[in-house]
Amino acid sequence: MEKLWRRNVRDIDPYVPGEQSKEQNIVKINANENPYPPSPQVQKAINDFNCGKLRFYPDANATDFKTAVAEFYELEAENVFLGNGSDDVLALAFQAFFNSDLPIAFPDITYSFYPVWCRLFEIPFKTFPLGSDFRINPEDYRAESGGVVIPNPNAPTSLGEGKAFIEKLMDYNRDCIVIIDEAYVDFGGYSSAELVKKYDNLLVTGSFSKSRSLAGMRIGYALGSKELIGILEAVKNSYNSYTVSSIAMAAGTAAIKDKEYFYTTVAKVITTRERVKTELEALGFEVLDSQTNFLFATHGKYSMRDYFEWLKGQKVFIRYFNLPRIDNYVRITVGTNEEMDIFLAKTREYIDFINTK
Amino acid sequence: MEKLWRRNVRDIDPYVPGEQSKEQNIVKINANENPYPPSPQVQKAINDFNCGKLRFYPDANATDFKTAVAEFYELEAENVFLGNGSDDVLALAFQAFFNSDLPIAFPDITYSFYPVWCRLFEIPFKTFPLGSDFRINPEDYRAESGGVVIPNPNAPTSLGEGKAFIEKLMDYNRDCIVIIDEAYVDFGGYSSAELVKKYDNLLVTGSFSKSRSLAGMRIGYALGSKELIGILEAVKNSYNSYTVSSIAMAAGTAAIKDKEYFYTTVAKVITTRERVKTELEALGFEVLDSQTNFLFATHGKYSMRDYFEWLKGQKVFIRYFNLPRIDNYVRITVGTNEEMDIFLAKTREYIDFINTK
């Protein structure tokens, strides 16, 4: 019998989540996770958490957590929106702010979820190709559009842009909302957080998953004018009033208040990144100037796809994208020094293996 | 200067979250929260939680948690979908399954988010009035529609329907997807979970917020055929791949495995509910036969709005809806025996106060 109910089902591309190996003794540098645990203050906040409180709904206004985030960025609590990971925040922002008949604009090589959300929410979009140096050309974004999304630093290129670039972008886009996605900014990028006081059509989004080692807790945020934040709150409240759990609020508040641990951890990742970049270059790799917790690299002599597959066989998991323009690149998350030593040793082994074949 | 970017902002009704008094010594029986803490196994799971794990993204397949939920309902893990509260699950299900030009159908008096999601996702809908006894007439749902949503038990009426009703509904609606929202079912209602093996177009949704005392943790679920669950997963993965945090999975798994605590807590709420119902009836209230953790009540002699306001002045917070047909009713969450004794004493005081005025 034909199942007529299938007519009403949303037409969607099936998605297969990335590989999450359950194997032990692997080097997992494929998901841009932080190699260090979250702040000890997070462990303390969770250990001290009174579970009796869980019978209540979370504070819908998230007052304490918003205040702590606002303090970090020298803003007001009313400039802060919180969500269930930055994907949740970005998806809501797309729904809230991209309601034009004109297409929104973003780079051709960027975070893979942007076109997915556009299709899901029926938002028209156009992409502008990155330059041959993988940089974003701000002049592309002069044309009128329904909105702009720029990841800064960009992924998977790892390249970041500075204040002058962002100000130019804002100058060119006074009549639409501009989202700067700063998932990776803490590893040396320029944060536009300070500009939300200047531009009321600027939304800056961020994540606790990378620099604050809380990928498993699901915390994202947006910073913007009180007007933009108020609109995001209204859309969120039409969808699910309580997206951030009480325990995530407690953990997130502890994490953002521990500035010393944050700066120390970020500095360690940056130091390791620069060392690995130098060593890869010594092996003949071209490595882009990363402002993130990963490296984007290629090699003139070797197939990056084969290299990626070979490393996987050696229990070293990096990331390869079979996509136009970047199909001979790999993305390598910065792990601990020990993990990166294994990765580098295996990389040398691969080169020897290929050269003696 | 006119802000042209405002043209692109989504047009949405501003939403004001419900009252959350920060006052001490209040009786808060207005949000259908459980008066008892979650299972001690939840406290243990959280105390034992290794925060080092939080640097990783959660298990995208939520294997352990899905398996535990499936075991409780005697289903397979592939019949289980998990989300960030049942509002998240329901909102995704509306997007996934209600893509017809025909309106979806639900009762006129029901969960207030259904029409909100329809407007947000541009889903046409029609409502069928409850009978004068506030019951749902299954014959209304015979007409062809784009989908059906029935909360069972219904809120705020507290009334539940049995297996025969659900089977009739499924029989009338073979060509669209039927969602049964079971947020309150554990307090004595009939669960359609067993029917997902029989009807591949049936989705049953539920919540850990009420019967498992985890409102602050944000856990909801859906049970359905493998096909429906697969579609929900695909839509979720187009939106935000990781909606349930690692710690919510640990807490939820601990909660659903502790069956003894669950049945004991639910029984205590039911016992208190029946006692309060009897006492209210002795005071002349009409109280509907609740299968939930709240009572829906009215009184022939008194204004329920005035009664609600007066109680608020006495620090007893119940719920009043200024809505057609139910604007002389109140909704009273079942609290502890001590809380309900205060509520009943204040109710008697109110009656004395009115009668001696």
Side-chain angles (χ1 to χ4, degrees), chain B residues 38-235:
Chain B
S39 155
Q41 296 304 317
V42 171
Q43 180 80 58
K44 189 171 178 309
I46 289 174
N47 287 350
D48 292 352
F49 193 82
N50 171 10
C51 289
K53 268 175 42 181
L54 289 174
R55 72 186 184 86
F56 297 113
Y57 282 91
D59 172 11
N61 301 315
T63 312
D64 294 346
F65 190 16
K66 281 191 177 177
T67 303
V69 173
E71 270 170 21
F72 187 89
Y73 290 107
E74 297 176 2
L75 296 167
E76 308 294 316
E78 292 78 10
N79 297 120
V80 179
F81 177 83
L82 297 166
N84 187 33
S86 75
D87 284 345
D88 178 47
V89 174
L90 283 162
L92 276 170
F94 272 53
Q95 290 175 80
F97 301 131
F98 296 154
N99 292 279
S100 170
D101 292 333
L102 288 172
I104 69 161
F106 49 83
D108 64 336
I109 298 170
T110 190
Y111 187 37
S112 57
F113 255 142
Y114 300 160
V116 174
W117 290 322
C118 286
R119 281 187 282 264
L120 187 65
F121 307 131
E122 292 168 2
I123 299 166
F125 68 96
K126 62 185 170 192
T127 61
F128 289 109
L130 299 180
S132 57
D133 57 357
F134 288 136
R135 293 235 164 238
I136 299 165
N137 180 359
E139 301 308 318
D140 290 337
Y141 297 86
R142 257 192 130 123
E144 201 188 4
S145 66
V148 172
V149 197
I150 299 287
N152 189 38
N154 196 4
T157 66
S158 80
L159 300 172
E161 302 296 337
K163 185 171 183 173
F165 173 99
I166 302 292
E167 296 242 50
K168 194 179 272 187
L169 199 69
M170 295 314 298
D171 190 41
Y172 293 163
N173 290 281
R174 292 179 181 275
D175 298 339
C176 67
I177 290 158
V178 177
I179 299 178
I180 307 293
D181 172 359
E182 296 192 348
Y184 295 103
V185 79
D186 294 325
F187 301 98
Y190 165 73
S191 174
S192 305
E194 59 167 342
L195 298 179
V196 305
K197 284 188 255 189
K198 186 167 173 187
Y199 301 102
D200 60 4
N201 60 328
L202 168 64
L203 192 83
V204 176
T205 63
S207 170
F208 277 49
S209 298
K210 276 87 182 176
S211 57
R212 297 182 198 276
S213 308
L214 285 173
M217 194 54 106
R218 316 309 303 125
I219 303 171
Y221 60 89
L223 310 172
S225 61
K226 290 177 191 185
E227 183 175 357
L228 289 194
I229 297 302
I231 296 160
L232 268 185
E233 290 287 348
V235 174

Side-chain angles (χ1 to χ4, degrees), chain A residues 3 6 8 10 33-34 54-57 84 96-97 117 200 210 215-216 218 227 239 242-243 246, chain B residues 3 6 10 33-34 54-57 84 96-97 117 200 210 215-216 218 227 239-240 242-243 246:
Chain A
K3 300 285 188 174
R6 291 205 178 96
N8 303 336
R10 190 170 191 115
E33 290 154 335
N34 198 308
L54 289 174
R55 72 185 184 87
F56 297 112
Y57 283 92
N84 187 34
F97 301 130
W117 290 322
D200 59 5
K210 277 87 184 180
R218 318 307 306 125
E227 183 174 356
Y239 191 91
Y242 305 100
T243 55
S246 304
Chain B
K3 300 284 188 175
R6 292 208 178 96
R10 191 170 190 113
E33 290 154 334
N34 198 306
L54 289 174
R55 72 186 184 86
F56 297 113
Y57 282 91
N84 187 33
F97 301 131
W117 290 322
D200 60 4
K210 276 87 182 176
R218 316 309 303 125
E227 183 175 357
Y239 190 90
N240 182 1
Y242 305 100
T243 55
S246 305

Side-chain angles (χ1 to χ4, degrees), chain A residues 81-94 205 220-222 232:
Chain A
F81 177 81
L82 296 166
N84 187 34
S86 76
D87 284 344
D88 177 47
V89 174
L90 282 162
L92 276 171
F94 272 53
T205 63
Y221 60 89
L232 268 184

Side-chain angles (χ1 to χ4, degrees), chain A residues 25-46:
Chain A
N25 300 319
I26 62 162
V27 176
K28 186 177 183 298
I29 47 175
N30 64 349
N32 292 348
E33 290 154 335
N34 198 308
Y36 303 106
S39 156
Q41 297 303 316
V42 170
Q43 181 80 58
K44 190 172 178 306
I46 288 174

